[in-house]
Amino acid sequence: MSRYQVNPRFSWKKLAEGCVILDLEKGSYFTLNETAARIWTELAGGTAADEIAGLLAADYDVTAAQAAKDVGETLALLSKEGVVAKC
């Protein structure tokens, strides 16, 4: 069960069809589509990666393997950008 911690230099806001994450130090931002925003929201709430994949599989009617792939890709991107870190 992998858990991630949000870097405190980032702030975020939920939007109607996604969310935006702002780097408070650099002034840059990321926009996330609905699925990535769901991953982010769950992650920010402390939900483990495998639990998030299970939620996506149920809510979006995709296979568990596809949901796990989507979660992994989103977390890899957020990790690469320094938004989250594995804890």
Side-chain angles (χ1 to χ4, degrees):
M1 185 171 358
S2 297
R3 293 203 183 268
Y4 288 77
Q5 182 175 14
V6 175
N7 185 328
R9 83 171 203 241
F10 291 89
S11 181
W12 64 282
K13 175 79 172 162
K14 181 94 170 96
L15 305 173
E17 295 183 15
C19 77
V20 64
I21 301 171
L22 174 64
D23 185 329
L24 298 172
E25 289 178 8
K26 296 180 181 178
S28 59
Y29 64 93
F30 304 90
T31 57
L32 304 178
N33 66 20
E34 180 183 342
T35 305
R38 175 69 190 276
I39 294 168
W40 170 259
T41 303
E42 292 294 338
L43 181 71
T47 306
D50 58 339
E51 294 174 272
I52 296 170
L55 293 170
L56 290 182
D59 291 351
Y60 292 97
D61 195 29
V62 297
T63 65
Q66 182 62 51
K69 180 178 182 249
D70 292 345
V71 170
E73 289 174 354
T74 301
L75 291 174
L77 174 64
L78 293 172
S79 294
K80 179 182 173 190
E81 297 297 332
V83 180
V84 298
K86 202 171 193 179
C87 56

